[in-house]
Amino acid sequence: MGRLTLILLTSTLLSSYFHPGRVVDAQSIFTIREVSLSMEPSNDVPRDTNVTVRCRAVVSSLGQEVLNRQYTILKDRVQVYTKTTTSSEDLLYPLPMARAFNSGKYTCQIAIEDKREVSKYQKLTVTGLSKPELHLNKAVVNEGEEVTVRCTAPGETGSIIFYFYEDSKEIKEEQVSSNYAETKIRFTSTGIHKCHCAYTVVVVPDAFRSEQSNIVTVSVKEIPYTPVLEILPIYKIYEGDTLDISCSLRRPQYNSQSTQLILSQGTQLLSSGTKDKLNHSLVALAKHSGEFECRLEIGNVVKVAKKNVSVTELFSLPTLTMSPVEVFPREPLTLICKSESLASERLHKEELTYTLEPSDAYLIPRGAGVFQGKALNADFNYTCTATAKGIMKQSKILTVRPKLPVSAPKITVLSKVILGRPFEILCNSSTGTLPINYTLLHDYMPMDMITVKQPYEEARFTVTITRTDDISKYICQANNGRKELSRRLDATVIVPLSHPTLTVVPTLGEIYEGDHLYLICGVQGTPPVTFKWYRVGNENPLYSTTSNSNNTDYQVKDLAKHHSGMYFCEAINPANTAVGSNPVTIEVRMALWKKALIGGICLLVLAVLALLFVLYYRSKRGRREAAAELSVLRALNQMTL
């Protein structure tokens, strides 16, 4: 900040020097160096302490004119005090007799012209709350009467929540922005009641809870009105009996205060009125077992008399069952309607009759509660009714769902069938009621069984075959009470390749330059087969072809010496297992005409050499003979002399 001010001052002076016609207000050059805030006497104080919030600003300026300073005090980011002054003294914000509401985070902001600075926050915590005071406008009341209750928090301010208690149980809550709250409490039970209150001062995000107030005692007197509930008969009530119920009021003489009587059982209103007595009669049923209530309302006062009634069933709710449990369309079935229990002391079994609904259900009665016939082609709902002495009870609905016979299953494979390797067989019927048991058979012998219970489930069997003709021996059986067989499994069996051979034509030892060479690669297994020929030392194949035959050839024309080497072939089919032959060594021999030519040349050379030798020999012999003749002549000549 100091550097910024120095640059600003220098810039202004230079501007004045180089622009003498421009007027500069030197007194407006200033900087706010620091703003700090502190709490006095400390940041944590007890209530009723006089607290001073001190804001100190350090301002540097050029010139003597006093600057206008605008101070703002914020508590929890909310403005609580502001002041504009020309004094350089610290700003003091007093909090006389501080309360919990004054707790919070305080900051100070100073603004001079267009510059602003904010201090770091300081947290003030004021501990301790005044004891609440409880006042009631009445100490003795009748039951049902209201009392005005006032709870005060002396000297506290801000947002306050007041809590009201009756016999240590919280009954009301009031939130206000003053230091007191009033409410009304109605006492519905007689006797002595103890009341007190408490409060909480809310200072977001904190809350400060007070201690408990003084306890005020209230005496609640009973009003002399009593509801009376009578039910006849008193003992052993059976279904079909008449219940006589009376709900009456016992009141003091010569008292004509308006009243309301209500007779009910559970949520059912039986009778109501303003008379002193209500009478109600009904035919007892099992559902009437339970609590009856006679309710008396006098203004805001409610009194209740209750009695429990137990009604014994003449007979239990009938149940409707089916035999057999599962049927197919048009198969015989029997429906049995029966009440499991009856009050034999009041009812004979012969008095209980059963009827089936609907009456046109194509089932014929075959005895008490027994109905026989054939299952329909579609779902059908039945109920039965048991009747005796005017009491009728209906069973729950029984839905007869005829099972849909399973269709002939379809047997398929889910992947390629490779001899000696596992593959999956799927058995599936397009129609049929679940669950369905699928059994995989091999030559009609059961191999495995899977039960399909849900529509998304499948019957998948994993098998392995070792002979190609085994594939057609698999069939599938579906059974959901009706059995159906599939056709035999029809699928292509892939035999992995084996016994690779490489045959050479012409035969080894008879391969000459200029010949045509045939490398025949053969395998055993299922076509199509992809053949590849290689020369040892070369990673790339010399030739590749796919054939529907188990053997094929690669031809090398016009053999030369450089074709000599080791050759082998590889083969692969849909079983995806490659096999390779043993390497074969090929030696390309010299052509026969070359051999003959070389032989002729050699003979010619030998003949020439022989001729030369003879000529040489003869020439050498002639010289010797000439020399001898010359010697003889010389000798004869000497002898002559």
Side-chain angles (χ1 to χ4, degrees), residues 272-486:
S272 66
T274 57
K275 296 180 180 180
D276 286 357
K277 188 172 184 179
L278 299 174
N279 293 313
H280 185 76
S281 295
L282 54 84
V283 176
L285 299 174
K287 67 179 183 179
H288 292 136
S289 292
E291 189 176 72
F292 287 81
E293 179 183 280
C294 177
R295 182 184 179 92
L296 170 63
E297 295 181 356
I298 311 168
N300 294 318
V301 178
V302 176
K303 292 194 172 186
V304 175
K306 297 179 181 180
K307 279 190 177 180
N308 277 311
V309 170
S310 177
V311 179
T312 303
E313 283 188 321
L314 273 179
F315 54 91
S316 62
L317 196 71
T319 56
L320 184 60
T321 58
M322 181 179 75
S323 178
V325 177
E326 294 181 340
V327 292
F328 289 93
R330 312 311 302 167
E331 282 190 344
L333 66 83
T334 301
L335 298 185
I336 301 171
C337 183
K338 184 179 181 182
S339 292
E340 295 296 333
S341 62
L342 56 85
S344 57
E345 64 273 20
R346 286 287 191 97
L347 182 68
H348 296 291
K349 184 185 292 186
E350 293 76 17
E351 297 179 84
L352 189 60
T353 60
Y354 300 96
T355 57
L356 187 68
E357 296 175 0
S359 56
D360 57 347
Y362 308 106
L363 298 180
I364 301 172
R366 296 296 186 186
V370 179
F371 306 89
Q372 291 181 338
K374 290 186 177 182
L376 303 178
N377 291 323
D379 294 358
F380 203 83
N381 294 330
Y382 297 90
T383 59
C384 75
T385 302
T387 307
K389 293 188 176 182
I391 306 297
M392 300 176 66
K393 296 184 180 182
Q394 193 174 57
S395 71
K396 292 181 179 179
I397 294 175
L398 172 67
T399 301
V400 177
R401 292 187 172 88
K403 295 182 67 175
L404 184 63
V406 69
S407 62
K410 184 179 180 182
I411 184 168
T412 56
V413 294
L414 296 175
S415 58
K416 293 188 293 187
V417 181
I418 300 174
L419 197 69
R421 297 184 193 174
F423 63 95
E424 282 190 320
I425 295 176
L426 174 65
C427 290
N428 180 56
S429 293
S430 58
T431 59
T433 303
L434 300 176
I436 299 174
N437 294 326
Y438 291 96
T439 304
L440 183 66
L441 307 174
H442 183 263
D443 264 350
Y444 295 97
M445 295 294 294
M447 302 294 294
D448 195 6
M449 187 189 78
I450 295 176
T451 300
V452 172
K453 300 178 181 179
Q454 300 294 334
Y456 56 83
E457 295 178 344
E458 292 182 330
R460 294 181 175 220
F461 302 91
T462 302
V463 298
T464 303
I465 59 174
T466 55
R467 297 192 311 173
T468 56
D469 58 350
D470 279 349
I471 195 73
S472 61
K473 296 180 180 179
Y474 285 100
I475 56 176
C476 184
Q477 182 190 74
N479 181 7
N480 69 342
R482 296 280 180 88
K483 296 180 180 180
E484 291 288 345
L485 285 175
S486 72

